[in-house]
């Protein structure tokens, strides 16, 4: 618990520091945007941090109806979390399961096919994959007849859980494909390397079944670097999240992020920065706890 508490405190510090750095950069590079604020720079800086993190008040958006940024965040966070959690699960679990399939017959047809798909997933830009999916499932362009149960637009969970799930299937696949490709290649390489370790040969010499050897000795050791890669890939996943929300018109916090940048909507950019830093910090803590639970050597160092 102490380890988790320390990580949570570090995550809060990262969120505050990232948002503060963004505010300082905007203030130094575009001081004319803050001409209406009174007081010295340290006073303005402290006033912003107090409003943002003690009162959850980032101000009003400078575009359109000038809605409060806090309201935009509250309305968009559920869609963000749904998309991010599903994409992360599809990417990590898909890559791990694909690597296990490839490790059984590294030179088989299924292994080569999965590795080719992983390579395409890593190389193809997410907006290209997303637009290609729209060409298949788009209402005006075309539709796969046997998949008519998949809604063509995002449906909130409160409206219909089944339609919510159906509306996120394709975005989850598009978002998780690059991560799945990276996890598959790393996991496969680690599986091949762990196979030659002394403790794996000793487990086989004891007469354990191949499934027991792989599930209890090989897979956990290969999962640790794969989980670390997934944790380090969260900034990339968040960048793809912005594109996926834009392509599929998902009403998340980052849906209009590119428009906010073009319009110099500082308040919305700073609010989205804080939310993005919180997402990265939270997923990093989750993967850290997972690795600590999985690897006894990490637990010993933590204690």
């Amino acid at each position: 618990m102490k380890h988790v508490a320390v990580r949570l405190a570090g995550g809060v510090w990262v969120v505050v520091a990232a948002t503060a750095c963004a505010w300082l950069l905007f203030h130094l590079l575009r001081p004319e945007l803050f001409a209406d604020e009174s007081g010295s720079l340290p006073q303005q800086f402290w006033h912003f941090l107090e409003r943002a993190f003690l009162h959850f008040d980032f101000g009003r958006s400078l575009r359109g109806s000038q809605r409060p940024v806090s309201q935009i965040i509250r309305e968009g966070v559920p869609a963000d979390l749904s998309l991010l959690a599903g994409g992360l699960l599809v990417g990590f679990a898909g890559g791990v399961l694909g690597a296990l399939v490839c490790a059984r017959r590294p030179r088989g047809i299924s292994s080569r096919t999965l590795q080719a798909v992983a390579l395409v997933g890593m190389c193809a830009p997410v907006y290209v994959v997303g637009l290609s999916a729209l060409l298949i499932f788009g209402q005006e362009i075309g539709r796969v007849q046997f998949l008519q149960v998949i809604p063509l637009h995002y449906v909130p969970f409160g409206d219909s859980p089944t339609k919510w799930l159906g509306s996120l299937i394709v975005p989850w696949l598009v978002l998780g494909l690059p991560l799945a490709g990276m996890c598959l290649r790393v996991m496969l390489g680690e599986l091949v390397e762990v196979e030659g370790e002394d403790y794996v040969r000793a487990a086989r010499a004891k007469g354990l079944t191949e499934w027991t050897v792989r599930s209890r000795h090989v897979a956990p050791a290969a999962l640790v670097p794969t989980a670390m890669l997934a944790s380090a890939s969260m900034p990339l996943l968040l960048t793809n999240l912005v594109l996926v929300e834009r392509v599929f018109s998902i009403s998340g916090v980052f849906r209009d992020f590119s428009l906010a940048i073009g319009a110099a909507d500082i308040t919305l950019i700073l609010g989205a920065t804080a939310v993005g830093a919180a997402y990265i910090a939270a997923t990093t803590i989750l993967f850290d706890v997972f690795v600590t639970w999985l690897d006894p050597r990490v637990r010993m160092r933590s204690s």
Side-chain angles (χ1 to χ4, degrees), residues 1 36 39 47-48 65 77 84 87 99 111 130 193 235 246 253 266 300:
M1 293 300 296
D36 296 336
H47 182 58
F48 166 75
S65 59
V77 162
L84 189 62
S111 176
E193 183 177 352
R246 185 67 177 170
V253 176
I266 302 299
M300 292 178 61

Side-chain angles (χ1 to χ4, degrees), residues 75-295:
E75 294 175 355
V77 162
D80 281 349
L81 293 179
S82 301
L83 187 57
L84 189 62
L88 185 61
L89 180 63
V90 168
F92 183 68
V96 169
L97 294 177
L100 293 175
V101 173
C102 293
R104 295 184 61 184
R105 294 181 179 179
R107 298 184 180 276
I109 297 177
S110 59
S111 176
R112 295 181 183 274
T113 302
L114 287 174
Q115 293 186 58
V117 173
L119 184 62
V120 172
M122 290 188 298
C123 298
V126 67
Y127 57 85
V128 173
V129 180
L131 291 175
S132 300
L134 286 179
L135 290 176
I136 297 176
F137 299 103
Q139 184 175 11
E140 301 298 333
I141 303 174
R143 184 191 301 180
V144 177
Q145 296 298 323
F146 61 89
L147 290 178
Q148 291 185 0
V149 294
I150 297 180
L152 302 177
H153 302 286
Y154 174 73
V155 178
F157 182 84
D159 294 348
S160 174
T162 55
K163 291 184 178 180
W164 166 84
L165 179 62
S167 66
L168 286 175
I169 290 177
V170 177
W172 280 344
L173 294 175
V174 175
L175 182 62
L177 186 59
L179 180 62
M182 292 187 291
C183 289
L184 185 147
R185 295 181 68 88
V186 172
M187 182 76 177
L188 182 59
E190 292 295 328
L191 288 172
V192 174
E193 183 177 352
V194 172
E195 287 282 355
E197 295 291 338
D198 293 338
Y199 65 88
V200 176
R201 291 198 294 266
R204 288 197 172 97
K206 291 179 181 178
L208 299 178
T209 62
E210 188 64 23
W211 169 255
T212 302
V213 173
R214 288 183 177 273
S215 61
R216 293 186 180 181
H217 299 279
V218 179
L223 267 176
V224 172
T226 308
M228 291 180 176
L229 170 71
S231 177
S233 301
M234 284 310 302
L236 174 62
L237 193 69
L238 188 64
T239 302
N240 291 339
L241 176 71
V242 177
L243 299 174
V244 169
E245 286 187 355
R246 185 67 177 170
V247 170
F248 289 95
S249 298
I250 297 176
S251 55
V253 176
F254 303 97
R255 177 180 175 180
D256 297 328
F257 190 69
S258 58
L259 298 178
I261 295 176
D265 192 347
I266 302 299
T267 54
L268 183 56
I269 294 174
L270 291 175
T273 301
V275 172
Y279 290 162
I280 295 176
T283 50
T284 301
I285 293 172
L286 289 176
F287 273 111
D288 184 74
V289 172
F290 174 69
V291 170
T292 303
W293 169 79
L294 192 66
D295 194 342

